Amino acid sequence: MRKTMRPTLVAGLTAASALALVFSTPALSAAAVPAPLAASASVLGSGGDLASPEKKEIAMQLVSSAENSSLDWKKQYSYIEDIGDGRGYTAGIIGFCSGTGDMLELVQAYTKSVPDNPLAKFLPALEKVNGSDSHEGLGSAFESAWKEAAGTEEFQSAQNSERDRVYFDPAVNQGKSDGLGALGQFVYYDAIVMHGPGTSSDSFGGIRDAALSKAKPPAQGGDETAYLKAFLDARKVVMKQEEAHADTSRVDTEQLVFLNDGNLDLHTPLKWKVYGDPYEIN
């Protein structure tokens, strides 16, 4: 069960989140998302590329430990439930929500590539409930269809693609632009998963702005560790503003553990805790 979810990305749930929709869900604003950089120039600080296959797998496991209390992130394609956070259904490998727009966009993309799929008939209902916690037109039939679709390579690929397009790639590209190594890129990714892209104070962009007001990233001549601590401090302030995010252990007993150990490249072995549960990647 997911113990925490990012704030809504659509108007109608919180006023602050509505501000994040200046550019809609798909990615950060043009100003906030740099174009991908060449590998030789992308990381100015500690080194490491979270987009490499080995590091990306680590990132998926780290997020899954917090979102699903499991390192087996691939088992989450079929996950779907309403966790009572006001965002409708939460489902899949990154917590796509029926109330925040990203689930709708996922099913639209999936249906574009696979028109005859179990979820296609629910598109009108998903459009109708977007921005609310309603299950109207969805319910148990939708849950069953989601699980059926999740058994196919096509829907798994669609989930992977939307995860990368909306969350992973923008976070990694911004991290590289800021001169951060693999750990810093992951810190960005985990933040955008929970808080969503945007420019409001409770979004990824707002948290980054708050950090930049306290410290400079390596790309601006700053110290990487000091900057990441400023970012995590700013994130914790935002997390504590919402009950669903009030437990900051994914920062305190995970990311700060790696940072305080000087593991800026996010190399294994890794040991951490989330919500008191221990995890390890060798």
Side-chain angles (χ1 to χ4, degrees):
M1 176 182 295
R2 296 174 192 270
K3 299 176 181 176
T4 179
M5 285 300 302
R6 63 192 180 284
T8 177
L9 308 182
V10 298
L13 294 183
T14 67
S17 297
L19 297 176
L21 275 186
V22 174
F23 48 88
S24 189
T25 302
L28 302 178
S29 64
V33 183
L37 303 175
S40 60
S42 63
V43 181
L44 307 179
S46 62
D49 184 353
L50 197 69
S52 68
E54 178 186 359
K55 301 293 186 187
K56 188 172 184 178
E57 176 65 22
I58 290 172
M60 297 305 107
Q61 292 183 65
L62 289 171
V63 168
S64 186
S65 73
E67 296 284 312
N68 302 95
S69 300
S70 170
L71 295 184
D72 193 352
W73 64 272
K74 293 181 180 179
K75 280 191 175 181
Q76 313 310 321
Y77 289 112
S78 61
Y79 167 81
I80 180 168
E81 70 173 321
D82 188 327
I83 62 174
D85 64 352
R87 297 169 177 85
Y89 282 111
T90 294
I93 58 171
I94 207 64
F96 301 100
C97 294
S98 60
T100 64
D102 55 354
M103 180 181 285
L104 172 61
E105 291 182 352
L106 166 62
V107 177
Q108 287 173 332
Y110 174 45
T111 301
K112 185 176 181 179
S113 61
V114 185
D116 184 19
N117 72 75
L119 295 171
K121 63 183 179 182
F122 293 99
L123 276 171
L126 285 171
E127 292 174 356
K128 188 174 181 179
V129 303
N130 189 24
S132 75
D133 62 357
S134 174
H135 291 188
E136 185 178 355
L138 300 173
S140 59
F142 177 69
E143 295 173 32
S144 296
W146 183 280
K147 293 175 182 178
E148 179 185 350
T152 69
E153 291 184 3
E154 291 83 0
F155 191 45
Q156 292 174 15
S157 178
Q159 289 194 40
N160 292 341
S161 294
E162 285 299 287
R163 173 203 62 202
D164 291 349
R165 181 181 71 87
V166 180
Y167 302 107
F168 187 80
D169 291 348
V172 170
N173 288 339
Q174 184 64 69
K176 290 179 179 180
S177 180
D178 285 342
L180 303 176
L183 175 59
Q185 294 163 37
F186 173 74
V187 165
Y188 275 11
Y189 174 55
D190 190 66
I192 200 173
V193 165
M194 174 180 279
H195 303 285
T199 57
S200 60
S201 62
D202 63 346
S203 69
F204 169 77
I207 294 170
R208 179 173 173 270
D209 285 344
L212 289 171
S213 72
K214 301 293 184 181
K216 293 181 179 180
Q220 297 179 25
D223 178 77
E224 185 168 12
T225 298
Y227 171 73
L228 288 176
K229 286 185 176 179
F231 183 91
L232 292 173
D233 285 345
R235 182 182 176 188
K236 287 173 62 176
V237 170
V238 173
M239 290 175 72
K240 292 177 180 179
Q241 292 173 356
E242 185 176 350
E243 184 177 356
H245 297 164
D247 186 322
T248 60
S249 62
R250 68 198 289 164
V251 171
D252 297 325
T253 56
E254 182 190 287
Q255 294 168 46
L256 277 173
V257 170
F258 305 151
L259 185 60
N260 291 334
D261 285 346
N263 191 359
L264 296 172
D265 189 36
L266 204 60
H267 58 73
T268 55
L270 294 168
K271 293 183 180 181
W272 73 99
K273 292 182 179 180
V274 182
Y275 311 118
D277 299 329
Y279 298 94
E280 183 173 351
I281 298 176
N282 293 309

